[in-house]
Amino acid sequence: MTKYVMSNTMTKSDWKNSVFLKSLADIEKLKKTDGSDLHVSGSGQLIQLLLKNDLVDELWLLVHPLTLGTGKKLFGDGTIPGAFTLTESLVSPTGVIIANYKRAGEVKTGTVGA
Amino acid sequence: MRKIIVLEHISLDGVIQAPGGPDEDTSDGFAYGGWAAPYDDEAIGTALRKMMNSPFDLLLGRKTFDIWAAFWPQHADVWPGAGTATKYVASNNMTSSEWQPSMFLSGDVAEKVAKLKQEQGPDLHIWGSGNLLQTLIKHDLVDVFWLMVYPITLGAGKRLFADGTIPAAFKVTESIVGSNGVIIVNYERAGAVPTGRL
């Protein structure tokens, strides 16, 4: 499996099948190529860049029944307004909501009850 | 003891500002008022009616109270409960209202709400009230979060869990998925955050 790594300084690794990307344009180009879907895990800073530029097609989230108060957030400043379709969801016995969201256009508004 | 139950429409990125309509709360230039409206369906309606028809008093921030006082007295047929409930309102300036029964809490609101919780009476429901919520969350006064999680990000707007949110664990006691992708979930407060290794 190819690991695409966003980095300003690193250009190679001993871990086989790793490719280093430098810019947003590299990611946009990569998305247009043929190949399997790209999974992003962790990568708190990279995700901010992807969310800000509307490059995320799906969010597969495990929402734990906790508040933490501080720490890196998935949706930081710069998150764009966007609508999603919930395509799958289940709740684990421990209260973790596992949900798959697919990007689905603009946020629509209206008046409740109107 | 009375429970404090927080009921909110919330986006995936945690925004609770103005779910119901464009003019509900435009503060800080919020441009997406009414984001909950397109997702209205039978599952949400049924769940909302269940909460709105359970016994409760209301605990509200002053701004939410103002919005409600201008609306619900004219719509008592839709929700008589809002009129009959005692409305406890956090405000440093307001001391009375024509919308009765209402009581005003000023000064150390956290302390006053903590006392109120010890009294006899129905559970206290909070809707909206983004500022007041921060005080309650910070002082660990919330027993239940009843959330309707909408499948949207908004990017900006008032958040449910702002700075000052305490680390806390919850138990999911009920969850429903609406036909439009809204997840309705009931979280009950359940101690400290446990940690370990995956």
Side-chain angles (χ1 to χ4, degrees):
Chain A
M1 195 180 297
T2 305
K3 277 78 62 183
Y4 295 95
V5 187
M6 187 75 166
S7 171
N8 280 322
T9 52
M10 218 170 158
T11 53
K12 62 183 169 64
S13 163
D14 289 339
W15 197 15
K16 274 192 175 169
N17 299 320
S18 42
V19 175
F20 290 79
L21 308 175
K22 270 202 169 57
S23 66
L24 186 65
D26 291 344
I27 299 171
E28 284 168 340
K29 218 184 283 170
L30 179 62
K31 263 195 84 162
K32 291 195 180 102
T33 60
D34 286 329
S36 49
D37 287 340
L38 298 155
H39 288 193
V40 184
S41 196
S43 309
Q45 290 191 43
L46 171 61
I47 286 176
Q48 300 316 312
L49 184 72
L50 300 177
L51 286 172
K52 200 172 168 176
N53 291 281
D54 202 5
L55 288 168
V56 176
D57 301 290
E58 273 184 51
L59 292 163
W60 187 79
L61 304 180
L62 295 101
V63 184
H64 294 254
L66 303 166
T67 54
L68 291 169
T70 57
K72 295 176 184 168
K73 314 250 170 179
L74 170 58
F75 299 112
D77 293 341
T79 297
I80 57 158
F84 294 82
T85 302
L86 179 68
T87 54
E88 211 182 330
S89 69
L90 59 105
V91 181
S92 81
T94 52
V96 178
I97 297 175
I98 304 166
N100 196 65
Y101 292 99
K102 283 193 182 163
R103 190 74 176 81
E106 306 289 305
V107 172
K108 296 183 182 74
T109 59
T111 301
V112 169
Chain B
M1 198 178 105
R2 318 170 81 167
K3 278 186 188 166
I4 292 191
I5 301 175
V6 172
L7 307 101
E8 298 286 342
H9 303 267
I10 184 167
S11 70
L12 276 181
D13 56 339
V15 175
I16 58 171
Q17 186 168 348
D23 303 324
E24 188 179 346
D25 178 2
T26 56
S27 54
D28 300 317
F30 188 69
Y32 290 93
W35 47 267
Y39 295 91
D40 204 8
D41 77 345
E42 195 45 44
I44 296 173
T46 302
L48 274 172
R49 277 191 297 276
K50 188 180 151 199
M51 297 308 288
M52 290 162 79
N53 293 325
S54 65
F56 65 87
D57 279 340
L58 289 166
L59 180 57
L60 300 172
R62 204 265 307 154
K63 290 177 192 166
T64 298
F65 178 80
D66 281 349
I67 296 168
W68 283 32
F71 182 83
W72 286 114
Q74 280 82 50
H75 298 80
D77 51 325
V78 179
W79 190 19
T84 52
T86 300
K87 290 149 289 275
Y88 296 94
V89 186
S91 173
N92 280 322
N93 308 312
M94 212 171 167
T95 53
S96 68
S97 164
E98 286 178 18
W99 196 26
Q100 291 288 332
S102 50
M103 291 183 69
F104 290 79
L105 313 172
S106 63
D108 191 341
V109 169
E111 193 195 334
K112 290 187 175 162
V113 171
K115 263 187 206 153
L116 189 59
K117 279 184 73 169
Q118 303 298 329
E119 292 173 8
Q120 294 286 315
D123 289 339
L124 296 156
H125 285 193
I126 307 180
W127 301 82
S129 309
N131 290 333
L132 170 63
L133 277 173
Q134 302 315 316
T135 303
L136 302 179
I137 291 171
K138 201 170 169 178
H139 291 87
D140 202 5
L141 288 166
V142 176
D143 299 287
V144 177
F145 286 100
W146 188 82
L147 304 179
M148 293 163 278
V149 185
Y150 288 71
I152 55 171
T153 53
L154 291 168
K158 294 176 185 171
R159 315 253 162 182
L160 174 55
F161 299 112
D163 292 344
T165 295
I166 56 160
F170 295 83
K171 198 178 156 188
V172 173
T173 55
E174 205 183 341
S175 64
I176 301 160
V177 180
S179 63
N180 297 324
V182 176
I183 299 176
I184 303 167
V185 54
N186 195 63
Y187 290 104
E188 291 190 2
R189 189 73 178 80
V193 174
T195 60
R197 279 179 208 281
L198 279 179

